[in-house]
Amino acid sequence: MKRLFLFILFILLLYSAKPYWEGPASRYVNLSFLEPVDEKIDTLLTSESIHTAIRFVTDATDKAILFLTSQLSSEEEAIPAEEKPKLAKPVHTQLSIHNIELGSTEEQVVAELGEPKNHSLNEYGTVWYTYHDHYHNFVMLSFDENGTVNALYTNDDLISSTSGIRYGSSKAEVRKTFGEPITEIRKGLNIYLLQENEGFDVFQSRDAYTYVFYDLHQQDKVTAVQLIARSLEEKRNGIYAAGDAALRSGFERQLFDLTNAARVRHGLSALQWEGKVAETARSHSIDMADHDYFSHENLQGKSPFDRMKDDGITFRSAGENLAYGQSSSIFAHEGLMNSEGHRENILLDTYSHLGIGVAFNEKSQPYYTENFLLK
Protein backbone atom coordinates (compact mmCIF):
# COMPACT_ATOMS: atom_id res chain seq x y z
CA MET A 1 0.00 0.00 0.00
CA LYS A 2 2.85 2.37 0.90
CA ARG A 3 4.58 1.74 -2.43
CA LEU A 4 1.34 2.37 -4.31
CA PHE A 5 0.84 5.62 -2.42
CA LEU A 6 4.40 6.77 -3.24
CA PHE A 7 3.93 5.80 -6.87
CA ILE A 8 0.76 7.88 -7.06
CA LEU A 9 2.59 10.83 -5.49
CA PHE A 10 5.36 10.47 -8.07
CA ILE A 11 2.82 10.49 -10.93
CA LEU A 12 1.13 13.56 -9.45
CA LEU A 13 4.42 15.46 -9.15
CA LEU A 14 5.43 14.47 -12.69
CA TYR A 15 2.03 15.53 -14.00
CA SER A 16 2.11 18.86 -12.14
CA ALA A 17 5.48 19.63 -13.72
CA LYS A 18 4.16 18.81 -17.20
CA PRO A 19 3.98 22.48 -18.38
CA TYR A 20 7.76 22.75 -17.86
CA TRP A 21 8.86 19.60 -19.73
CA GLU A 22 6.08 19.08 -22.27
CA GLY A 23 7.19 21.82 -24.70
CA PRO A 24 10.90 20.89 -24.96
CA ALA A 25 10.12 17.16 -25.04
CA SER A 26 7.55 17.49 -27.83
CA ARG A 27 10.29 18.72 -30.16
CA TYR A 28 11.89 15.28 -30.07
CA VAL A 29 9.05 12.88 -29.16
CA ASN A 30 5.41 12.66 -30.29
CA LEU A 31 3.51 12.96 -26.98
CA SER A 32 0.05 12.23 -28.38
CA PHE A 33 0.15 8.81 -26.68
CA LEU A 34 -0.17 10.65 -23.33
CA GLU A 35 -3.65 11.99 -24.09
CA PRO A 36 -5.45 8.91 -22.64
CA VAL A 37 -3.21 9.17 -19.57
CA ASP A 38 -4.23 12.82 -19.15
CA GLU A 39 -7.89 11.80 -19.19
CA LYS A 40 -7.31 9.09 -16.56
CA ILE A 41 -5.42 11.47 -14.29
CA ASP A 42 -8.15 14.09 -14.64
CA THR A 43 -10.65 11.41 -13.52
CA LEU A 44 -8.45 10.38 -10.62
CA LEU A 45 -8.17 13.97 -9.44
CA THR A 46 -11.88 13.88 -8.52
CA SER A 47 -11.38 11.11 -5.93
CA GLU A 48 -11.07 11.88 -2.20
CA SER A 49 -7.92 9.80 -1.77
CA ILE A 50 -6.09 11.82 -4.40
CA HIS A 51 -7.23 15.08 -2.79
CA THR A 52 -5.75 13.80 0.46
CA ALA A 53 -2.51 13.01 -1.32
CA ILE A 54 -2.40 16.46 -2.87
CA ARG A 55 -2.96 18.09 0.53
CA PHE A 56 -0.14 15.92 1.92
CA VAL A 57 2.25 16.97 -0.85
CA THR A 58 1.26 20.63 -0.49
CA ASP A 59 1.78 20.61 3.28
CA ALA A 60 5.13 18.85 2.94
CA THR A 61 6.24 21.30 0.21
CA ASP A 62 5.22 24.31 2.32
CA LYS A 63 7.19 22.96 5.28
CA ALA A 64 10.23 22.35 3.08
CA ILE A 65 10.08 25.85 1.63
CA LEU A 66 9.68 27.35 5.11
CA PHE A 67 12.71 25.39 6.33
CA LEU A 68 14.89 26.41 3.36
CA THR A 69 13.81 30.03 3.68
CA SER A 70 14.75 30.10 7.35
CA GLN A 71 18.12 28.55 6.54
CA LEU A 72 18.80 31.06 3.77
CA SER A 73 17.81 33.91 6.08
CA SER A 74 20.28 32.67 8.68
CA GLU A 75 23.01 32.52 6.03
CA GLU A 76 22.24 36.07 4.92
CA GLU A 77 22.30 37.31 8.50
CA ALA A 78 25.71 35.68 8.94
CA ILE A 79 27.18 37.82 6.14
CA PRO A 80 28.28 41.17 7.54
CA ALA A 81 26.19 44.01 6.17
CA GLU A 82 27.96 47.02 4.74
CA GLU A 83 28.37 49.67 7.38
CA LYS A 84 29.46 53.07 6.18
CA PRO A 85 31.80 54.88 8.55
CA LYS A 86 30.75 58.27 9.85
CA LEU A 87 32.97 60.68 7.93
CA ALA A 88 34.34 63.79 9.62
CA LYS A 89 35.90 66.72 7.82
CA PRO A 90 39.70 66.59 7.63
CA VAL A 91 41.59 68.60 10.22
CA HIS A 92 45.02 69.20 8.68
CA THR A 93 44.43 68.73 4.92
CA GLN A 94 41.78 69.46 2.30
CA LEU A 95 40.83 65.84 1.72
CA SER A 96 40.64 62.72 3.84
CA ILE A 97 39.71 59.10 3.10
CA HIS A 98 37.86 57.05 5.74
CA ASN A 99 38.90 59.74 8.27
CA ILE A 100 42.58 59.19 7.46
CA GLU A 101 44.71 62.06 6.15
CA LEU A 102 48.20 62.40 4.77
CA GLY A 103 50.32 62.61 7.92
CA SER A 104 48.05 60.40 10.05
CA THR A 105 49.95 58.04 12.34
CA GLU A 106 49.97 54.27 12.21
CA GLU A 107 48.10 54.23 15.54
CA GLN A 108 45.33 56.39 14.05
CA VAL A 109 45.09 54.06 11.06
CA VAL A 110 44.76 50.97 13.26
CA ALA A 111 42.10 52.67 15.39
CA GLU A 112 40.08 53.65 12.31
CA LEU A 113 40.69 50.76 9.89
CA GLY A 114 41.96 47.85 11.97
CA GLU A 115 44.49 45.47 10.43
CA PRO A 116 45.14 45.34 6.66
CA LYS A 117 43.85 42.47 4.52
CA ASN A 118 47.10 42.31 2.54
CA HIS A 119 50.05 44.38 1.38
CA SER A 120 52.06 44.70 -1.83
CA LEU A 121 54.83 46.79 -3.38
CA ASN A 122 53.80 49.87 -5.35
CA GLU A 123 55.45 52.07 -8.00
CA TYR A 124 56.72 54.52 -5.35
CA GLY A 125 58.88 51.85 -3.74
CA THR A 126 56.63 51.79 -0.68
CA VAL A 127 53.95 49.28 0.28
CA TRP A 128 50.23 49.58 -0.34
CA TYR A 129 48.36 48.26 2.71
CA THR A 130 44.83 47.27 1.71
CA TYR A 131 41.78 47.57 3.97
CA HIS A 132 38.21 46.50 3.23
CA ASP A 133 35.21 44.59 4.53
CA HIS A 134 34.41 41.99 1.86
CA TYR A 135 35.57 44.72 -0.58
CA HIS A 136 33.22 47.29 0.92
CA ASN A 137 34.89 50.45 2.32
CA PHE A 138 37.98 49.85 0.19
CA VAL A 139 41.15 51.80 1.06
CA MET A 140 44.84 51.50 0.16
CA LEU A 141 47.52 53.48 1.99
CA SER A 142 51.25 53.53 2.57
CA PHE A 143 53.54 54.73 5.37
CA ASP A 144 56.85 56.57 5.34
CA GLU A 145 59.88 55.56 7.40
CA ASN A 146 58.41 57.39 10.43
CA GLY A 147 55.17 55.45 10.35
CA THR A 148 53.00 58.29 9.04
CA VAL A 149 50.69 58.02 6.03
CA ASN A 150 52.27 59.33 2.82
CA ALA A 151 49.78 57.95 0.24
CA LEU A 152 46.04 57.18 0.18
CA TYR A 153 43.59 55.80 -2.39
CA THR A 154 39.93 54.82 -2.51
CA ASN A 155 37.33 54.12 -5.19
CA ASP A 156 34.54 54.02 -2.60
CA ASP A 157 32.26 56.60 -1.01
CA LEU A 158 34.77 57.41 1.73
CA ILE A 159 35.97 60.84 0.63
CA SER A 160 35.54 63.84 2.91
CA SER A 161 36.75 67.39 2.37
CA THR A 162 36.61 70.82 3.94
CA SER A 163 34.92 72.11 0.76
CA GLY A 164 32.25 69.44 0.25
CA ILE A 165 33.99 67.50 -2.51
CA ARG A 166 33.12 63.82 -2.22
CA TYR A 167 32.53 60.64 -4.17
CA GLY A 168 30.09 61.52 -6.97
CA SER A 169 30.96 65.23 -7.15
CA SER A 170 31.20 66.66 -10.67
CA LYS A 171 34.42 67.58 -12.43
CA ALA A 172 33.19 71.18 -12.54
CA GLU A 173 32.77 71.22 -8.76
CA VAL A 174 36.26 69.77 -8.26
CA ARG A 175 37.90 72.33 -10.53
CA LYS A 176 35.95 75.16 -8.95
CA THR A 177 37.29 74.05 -5.56
CA PHE A 178 40.89 73.16 -6.41
CA GLY A 179 41.46 75.42 -9.41
CA GLU A 180 42.86 74.35 -12.74
CA PRO A 181 44.69 71.00 -12.75
CA ILE A 182 48.37 70.92 -13.57
CA THR A 183 49.31 69.86 -17.10
CA GLU A 184 52.81 68.52 -16.44
CA ILE A 185 54.87 66.82 -13.76
CA ARG A 186 58.63 67.26 -13.42
CA LYS A 187 60.65 64.11 -12.67
CA GLY A 188 64.32 64.84 -12.20
CA LEU A 189 65.50 66.53 -15.40
CA ASN A 190 62.42 65.41 -17.37
CA ILE A 191 58.99 66.99 -17.71
CA TYR A 192 56.01 64.71 -18.37
CA LEU A 193 52.95 66.21 -20.02
CA LEU A 194 49.53 65.08 -18.77
CA GLN A 195 46.86 64.44 -21.38
CA GLU A 196 43.47 65.95 -20.63
CA ASN A 197 41.40 63.03 -21.99
CA GLU A 198 42.68 60.33 -19.63
CA GLY A 199 39.81 60.59 -17.16
CA PHE A 200 41.62 62.26 -14.26
CA ASP A 201 42.91 65.59 -12.96
CA VAL A 202 46.07 66.24 -10.95
CA PHE A 203 46.23 69.14 -8.48
CA GLN A 204 49.43 70.25 -6.78
CA SER A 205 49.55 71.93 -3.40
CA ARG A 206 52.36 72.79 -1.03
CA ASP A 207 52.30 69.38 0.63
CA ALA A 208 50.56 66.99 -1.75
CA TYR A 209 49.58 65.86 -5.23
CA THR A 210 45.86 65.06 -5.49
CA TYR A 211 44.75 62.73 -8.29
CA VAL A 212 41.00 62.85 -8.91
CA PHE A 213 39.58 60.15 -11.21
CA TYR A 214 36.29 60.63 -13.05
CA ASP A 215 33.77 58.11 -14.34
CA LEU A 216 33.33 59.04 -18.00
CA HIS A 217 30.23 56.83 -18.15
CA GLN A 218 28.58 58.75 -15.28
CA GLN A 219 28.81 62.37 -16.45
CA ASP A 220 32.40 62.83 -15.23
CA LYS A 221 31.54 62.20 -11.59
CA VAL A 222 34.33 61.59 -9.06
CA THR A 223 34.89 57.84 -8.84
CA ALA A 224 38.25 57.63 -7.04
CA VAL A 225 40.89 59.76 -5.34
CA GLN A 226 44.61 59.21 -4.79
CA LEU A 227 46.54 61.46 -2.41
CA ILE A 228 50.35 61.42 -2.58
CA ALA A 229 52.64 63.36 -0.27
CA ARG A 230 54.72 65.81 -2.29
CA SER A 231 57.95 64.42 -0.83
CA LEU A 232 57.00 60.91 -2.03
CA GLU A 233 55.93 62.01 -5.51
CA GLU A 234 59.01 64.08 -6.10
CA LYS A 235 61.28 61.29 -4.90
CA ARG A 236 60.47 59.39 -8.10
CA ASN A 237 62.88 60.18 -10.91
CA GLY A 238 60.65 58.89 -13.69
CA ILE A 239 57.12 57.86 -14.52
CA TYR A 240 57.92 54.15 -14.55
CA ALA A 241 59.39 52.23 -11.63
CA ALA A 242 61.99 49.54 -12.31
CA GLY A 243 60.00 46.45 -13.20
CA ASP A 244 60.94 43.41 -11.13
CA ALA A 245 59.21 40.32 -9.75
CA ALA A 246 58.09 42.11 -6.56
CA LEU A 247 56.47 45.01 -8.45
CA ARG A 248 54.90 42.61 -10.95
CA SER A 249 53.34 40.65 -8.11
CA GLY A 250 52.23 43.91 -6.46
CA PHE A 251 50.51 45.20 -9.59
CA GLU A 252 48.73 41.86 -10.08
CA ARG A 253 47.49 41.76 -6.50
CA GLN A 254 46.39 45.40 -6.56
CA LEU A 255 44.58 45.09 -9.87
CA PHE A 256 42.68 42.07 -8.58
CA ASP A 257 41.59 43.97 -5.45
CA LEU A 258 40.69 47.10 -7.42
CA THR A 259 38.54 45.05 -9.79
CA ASN A 260 36.66 43.39 -6.93
CA ALA A 261 36.18 46.69 -5.12
CA ALA A 262 34.64 48.16 -8.29
CA ARG A 263 32.36 45.15 -8.72
CA VAL A 264 31.13 45.27 -5.14
CA ARG A 265 30.65 49.02 -5.44
CA HIS A 266 28.32 48.32 -8.39
CA GLY A 267 26.34 45.68 -6.49
CA LEU A 268 28.08 42.59 -7.90
CA SER A 269 29.85 39.70 -6.21
CA ALA A 270 33.63 39.58 -5.84
CA LEU A 271 35.57 37.25 -8.16
CA GLN A 272 37.82 34.43 -6.98
CA TRP A 273 41.51 34.35 -7.89
CA GLU A 274 42.34 31.67 -10.46
CA GLY A 275 46.06 30.91 -10.39
CA LYS A 276 46.18 28.78 -13.52
CA VAL A 277 44.59 31.39 -15.75
CA ALA A 278 46.85 34.03 -14.12
CA GLU A 279 49.80 32.08 -15.57
CA THR A 280 48.17 32.24 -19.00
CA ALA A 281 47.61 35.99 -18.57
CA ARG A 282 51.19 36.55 -17.44
CA SER A 283 52.58 34.56 -20.38
CA HIS A 284 50.67 36.80 -22.78
CA SER A 285 51.93 39.96 -21.04
CA ILE A 286 55.49 38.65 -21.25
CA ASP A 287 55.04 37.81 -24.93
CA MET A 288 53.73 41.31 -25.71
CA ALA A 289 56.51 42.98 -23.73
CA ASP A 290 59.26 40.86 -25.30
CA HIS A 291 58.01 41.16 -28.88
CA ASP A 292 56.74 44.75 -28.78
CA TYR A 293 53.09 44.32 -29.73
CA PHE A 294 49.73 44.92 -28.06
CA SER A 295 46.84 42.71 -29.09
CA HIS A 296 44.41 40.07 -27.86
CA GLU A 297 45.66 37.87 -30.69
CA ASN A 298 49.28 36.79 -30.32
CA LEU A 299 51.87 36.55 -33.10
CA GLN A 300 50.85 32.94 -33.77
CA GLY A 301 47.27 34.05 -34.40
CA LYS A 302 45.92 32.54 -31.17
CA SER A 303 43.07 34.20 -29.30
CA PRO A 304 42.75 34.40 -25.49
CA PHE A 305 40.41 31.41 -25.65
CA ASP A 306 42.94 29.41 -27.67
CA ARG A 307 45.66 30.19 -25.14
CA MET A 308 43.45 29.15 -22.22
CA LYS A 309 42.51 25.88 -23.90
CA ASP A 310 46.17 25.20 -24.72
CA ASP A 311 46.90 25.56 -21.00
CA GLY A 312 44.17 23.07 -20.08
CA ILE A 313 41.78 25.68 -18.66
CA THR A 314 38.09 24.83 -18.97
CA PHE A 315 35.39 27.48 -18.82
CA ARG A 316 31.79 28.15 -19.79
CA SER A 317 32.55 31.73 -20.83
CA ALA A 318 35.61 33.95 -20.73
CA GLY A 319 36.84 37.44 -21.51
CA GLU A 320 40.10 39.37 -21.60
CA ASN A 321 41.13 42.94 -20.78
CA LEU A 322 44.47 44.42 -21.84
CA ALA A 323 46.19 47.63 -20.78
CA TYR A 324 49.61 48.99 -21.66
CA GLY A 325 51.83 51.83 -20.49
CA GLN A 326 49.94 52.98 -17.38
CA SER A 327 52.44 53.64 -14.61
CA SER A 328 50.50 51.79 -11.92
CA SER A 329 47.75 49.30 -11.25
CA ILE A 330 45.50 52.18 -10.22
CA PHE A 331 45.89 54.04 -13.50
CA ALA A 332 45.45 50.79 -15.44
CA HIS A 333 42.24 49.98 -13.57
CA GLU A 334 40.75 53.46 -13.85
CA GLY A 335 41.55 53.49 -17.56
CA LEU A 336 39.86 50.13 -18.09
CA MET A 337 36.79 51.31 -16.19
CA ASN A 338 36.52 54.27 -18.59
CA SER A 339 36.73 52.04 -21.68
CA GLU A 340 33.29 50.64 -22.54
CA GLY A 341 34.25 47.10 -23.60
CA HIS A 342 36.73 46.62 -20.76
CA ARG A 343 34.23 48.03 -18.26
CA GLU A 344 31.66 45.47 -19.43
CA ASN A 345 34.07 42.64 -18.63
CA ILE A 346 34.84 44.05 -15.17
CA LEU A 347 31.14 44.48 -14.36
CA LEU A 348 29.76 41.32 -15.99
CA ASP A 349 27.78 39.58 -13.28
CA THR A 350 28.16 36.06 -14.72
CA TYR A 351 31.94 35.78 -14.24
CA SER A 352 33.18 33.84 -11.22
CA HIS A 353 37.01 33.85 -11.45
CA LEU A 354 39.82 36.17 -12.47
CA GLY A 355 43.52 35.76 -13.16
CA ILE A 356 45.89 38.68 -13.83
CA GLY A 357 49.38 38.75 -15.30
CA VAL A 358 51.79 41.70 -15.60
CA ALA A 359 55.12 42.02 -17.40
CA PHE A 360 57.53 44.90 -18.15
CA ASN A 361 59.40 45.72 -21.33
CA GLU A 362 62.98 46.99 -21.48
CA LYS A 363 61.75 50.54 -20.71
CA SER A 364 59.95 49.28 -17.58
CA GLN A 365 56.58 49.99 -19.22
CA PRO A 366 53.98 47.53 -17.87
CA TYR A 367 51.66 45.27 -19.86
CA TYR A 368 48.53 44.17 -17.99
CA THR A 369 46.39 41.15 -18.92
CA GLU A 370 43.16 40.26 -17.12
CA ASN A 371 41.47 36.94 -17.92
CA PHE A 372 37.89 36.55 -16.65
CA LEU A 373 36.17 33.16 -16.39
CA LEU A 374 32.84 31.57 -15.66
CA LYS A 375 33.85 28.09 -14.54
Side-chain angles (χ1 to χ4, degrees):
M1 185 65 184
K2 182 178 178 181
R3 289 182 181 178
L4 177 61
F5 186 72
L6 291 175
F7 177 73
I8 293 171
L9 287 181
F10 171 73
I11 295 299
L12 285 171
L13 290 171
L14 187 63
Y15 183 79
S16 65
K18 186 180 175 186
Y20 299 100
W21 55 260
E22 184 176 30
S26 64
R27 283 181 273 176
Y28 304 98
V29 179
N30 184 353
L31 298 178
S32 60
F33 69 94
L34 288 177
E35 291 176 5
V37 178
D38 289 345
E39 293 175 4
K40 290 289 186 184
I41 290 177
D42 287 337
T43 303
L44 281 171
L45 287 174
T46 61
S47 71
E48 183 61 27
S49 61
I50 297 305
H51 280 296
T52 303
I54 291 172
R55 283 196 300 272
F56 175 83
V57 172
T58 303
D59 290 344
T61 303
D62 288 344
K63 288 177 181 177
I65 291 172
L66 184 61
F67 173 77
L68 290 173
T69 303
S70 66
Q71 292 300 306
L72 288 173
S73 298
S74 325
E75 290 291 332
E76 289 174 354
E77 288 171 5
I79 299 173
E82 178 187 5
E83 293 184 9
K84 280 293 176 192
K86 185 175 288 187
L87 300 177
K89 288 186 177 181
V91 177
H92 304 291
T93 59
Q94 278 188 299
L95 283 172
S96 64
I97 293 173
H98 207 309
N99 299 321
I100 302 297
E101 305 176 46
L102 291 178
S104 293
T105 65
E106 192 168 355
E107 290 76 14
Q108 289 171 319
V109 170
V110 172
E112 180 70 23
L113 303 178
E115 295 298 326
K117 298 292 184 183
N118 54 61
H119 61 276
S120 54
L121 186 68
N122 64 33
E123 69 278 13
Y124 290 97
T126 62
V127 171
W128 279 127
Y129 291 90
T130 304
Y131 304 80
H132 59 84
D133 179 12
H134 299 277
Y135 288 105
H136 294 287
N137 301 328
F138 184 83
V139 178
M140 297 199 303
L141 61 82
S142 81
F143 299 98
D144 62 19
E145 59 276 7
N146 299 315
T148 59
V149 174
N150 60 2
L152 275 163
Y153 168 88
T154 189
N155 59 357
D156 207 339
D157 186 7
L158 301 170
I159 303 163
S160 181
S161 71
T162 54
S163 56
I165 297 301
R166 59 186 299 275
Y167 184 95
S169 294
S170 69
K171 179 189 285 188
E173 290 176 293
V174 172
R175 290 186 172 184
K176 183 178 179 180
T177 299
F178 295 111
E180 283 301 307
I182 61 175
T183 58
E184 61 185 37
I185 291 182
R186 182 182 295 275
K187 296 290 182 183
L189 299 177
N190 299 312
I191 294 177
Y192 296 88
L193 300 179
L194 302 172
Q195 296 182 16
E196 197 167 327
N197 61 351
E198 291 184 337
F200 67 90
D201 281 335
V202 186
F203 302 94
Q204 181 181 344
S205 66
R206 184 172 58 86
D207 298 318
Y209 285 83
T210 301
Y211 295 80
V212 181
F213 298 92
Y214 304 105
D215 190 333
L216 304 186
H217 299 274
Q218 297 292 330
Q219 296 82 46
D220 287 350
K221 302 293 187 183
V222 174
T223 191
V225 166
Q226 178 179 251
L227 308 173
I228 306 293
R230 186 164 180 169
S231 57
L232 181 62
E233 184 67 70
E234 294 180 351
K235 192 183 294 182
R236 293 174 64 195
N237 292 323
I239 291 294
Y240 298 109
D244 57 18
L247 187 59
R248 181 204 70 200
S249 178
F251 279 178
E252 291 171 353
R253 176 75 247 186
Q254 293 150 25
L255 199 48
F256 177 74
D257 286 341
L258 289 162
T259 300
N260 274 335
R263 284 176 62 85
V264 168
R265 181 71 191 150
H266 285 81
L268 304 174
S269 60
L271 301 174
Q272 298 179 52
W273 178 261
E274 176 51 66
K276 195 168 184 181
V277 82
E279 293 176 10
T280 302
R282 190 178 299 126
S283 294
H284 188 54
S285 289
I286 291 171
D287 191 46
M288 290 189 293
D290 288 349
H291 296 96
D292 193 25
Y293 74 96
F294 183 66
S295 173
H296 291 287
E297 191 173 278
N298 67 15
L299 299 180
Q300 289 72 46
K302 291 191 174 183
S303 71
F305 317 108
D306 296 327
R307 295 191 293 272
M308 291 180 208
K309 289 176 181 176
D310 287 347
D311 290 343
I313 296 165
T314 57
F315 53 86
R316 285 184 282 167
S317 65
E320 179 174 88
N321 282 351
L322 300 179
Y324 158 68
Q326 291 87 350
S327 60
S328 75
S329 55
I330 289 174
F331 282 95
H333 170 71
E334 297 298 341
L336 291 169
M337 283 295 289
N338 276 329
S339 170
E340 187 172 358
H342 298 108
R343 182 190 185 96
E344 287 177 3
N345 271 339
I346 292 171
L347 300 182
L348 191 63
D349 61 350
T350 55
Y351 286 138
S352 58
H353 292 72
L354 172 62
I356 296 173
V358 175
F360 303 90
N361 64 13
E362 59 184 9
K363 298 177 182 178
S364 293
Q365 296 169 322
Y367 288 75
Y368 308 85
T369 302
E370 298 178 327
N371 284 157
F372 298 85
L373 295 179
L374 171 60
K375 296 186 73 173

